[in-house]
Amino acid sequence: MDNRTSRTDPRILRTRQLLKDAFVELLQEMDIEKISVNRIAERATINRVTFYLHYRDIPDMLEKMADDMIEDINGILKCAPGNQNPTEEESWPLLMNLLEHIAEHAKFYKVILASKRTPIFTDRLLKLLTELVTSRIERMGNESFLSKAGIQKDIAIWYGSSALIGTIVAWLRKDMPYTPLFLAKQFALMRSLKYS
């Protein structure tokens, strides 16, 4: 648990989880435009006023949920073995940890990433993946395959981060037919072919 969560009253955490679960359930049933605070509160079996103790409105709730998602993923990535400047061959455990996290919370990620209804989550995850790809490419330096091939760094970053998020979304939409380990190793194989 992070410092913020460890100091938060368990009742607050429970209420926020109820609200989050209610929102995800409603999003499976209807378009986001039809979801109201009343519906979320009713589904979460809480008072509407309680919703407003936690969030200003639905967009504020989405912002905070997206922040929590990125915070959770960052925590997973920081705890991953081998995340200190891994080589291309060693980078798959980092991706595997991310994929395992997504698989553990599949219901949430299927709704918020695999549907086109809530772009805030996809945008935030794409930003995080772009930062990871940028870091990896910058570590490769001027002697990398990209530099030698004349590939512009920004284009490689766009391509790499888009390929990652596109594959994650497709994997979720197909009900995760591959294990996180298998998918992460497949990514590593594709990267090693690309750079050889």
Side-chain angles (χ1 to χ4, degrees), residues 20 29 44 65 70 83 118 138 161-162 168-169 172-173 192:
K20 176 181 164 182
E29 299 168 12
M65 285 173 62
I70 294 303
N83 71 344
T118 52
E138 287 176 353
S161 55
S162 296
I168 290 168
V169 168
L172 286 166
R173 285 183 179 158
S192 67

Side-chain angles (χ1 to χ4, degrees), residues 7-193:
R7 287 184 267 140
T8 305
D9 184 324
R11 293 171 295 181
I12 292 172
L13 295 175
R14 183 180 171 281
T15 301
R16 287 183 184 160
Q17 188 62 49
L18 286 171
L19 290 166
K20 176 181 164 182
D21 292 345
F23 175 75
V24 169
E25 287 174 14
L26 287 168
L27 199 53
Q28 287 177 302
E29 299 168 12
M30 63 185 68
D31 290 335
I32 193 167
E33 296 81 23
K34 294 180 181 176
I35 297 175
S36 66
V37 170
N38 283 340
R39 283 186 172 166
I40 294 170
E42 183 178 296
R43 181 67 59 99
T45 63
I46 63 165
N47 183 310
R48 188 183 125 129
V49 174
T50 304
F51 176 94
Y52 289 112
L53 293 174
H54 297 273
Y55 307 108
R56 285 188 313 271
D57 50 24
I58 292 175
D60 182 52
M61 179 183 181
L62 292 176
E63 281 287 332
K64 288 185 171 123
M65 285 173 62
D67 290 344
D68 290 345
M69 175 190 77
I70 294 303
E71 189 175 310
D72 289 346
I73 291 172
N74 271 324
I76 298 294
L77 296 176
K78 286 182 179 143
C79 294
N83 71 344
Q84 304 299 346
N85 299 325
T87 64
E88 285 302 319
E89 296 78 34
E90 298 168 332
S91 65
W92 65 264
L94 187 68
L95 182 57
M96 185 187 71
N97 285 356
L98 171 62
L99 294 172
E100 283 177 341
H101 169 76
I102 290 171
E104 286 172 22
H105 305 283
K107 181 180 176 184
F108 173 73
Y109 284 104
K110 276 183 181 182
V111 172
I112 57 108
L113 290 180
S115 75
K116 296 178 182 165
R117 301 175 193 162
T118 52
I120 184 173
F121 296 100
T122 308
D123 292 347
R124 292 281 181 86
L125 183 57
L126 181 60
K127 182 178 183 233
L128 176 67
L129 294 174
T130 300
E131 291 167 4
L132 292 172
V133 170
T134 301
S135 173
R136 182 167 310 281
I137 288 174
E138 287 176 353
R139 281 195 308 269
M140 292 166 55
N142 291 333
E143 295 302 312
S144 72
F145 162 79
L146 297 172
S147 294
K148 291 176 183 174
I151 297 171
Q152 293 296 307
K153 185 168 74 169
D154 57 346
I155 294 172
I157 291 167
W158 300 336
Y159 174 81
S161 55
S162 296
L164 273 170
I165 198 162
T167 302
I168 290 168
V169 168
W171 179 62
L172 286 166
R173 285 183 179 158
K174 299 289 183 184
D175 291 324
M176 301 173 296
Y178 305 108
T179 66
L181 174 63
F182 183 80
L183 189 57
K185 284 186 173 183
Q186 290 289 294
F187 257 106
L189 283 171
M190 285 188 286
R191 278 197 308 263
S192 67
L193 289 174

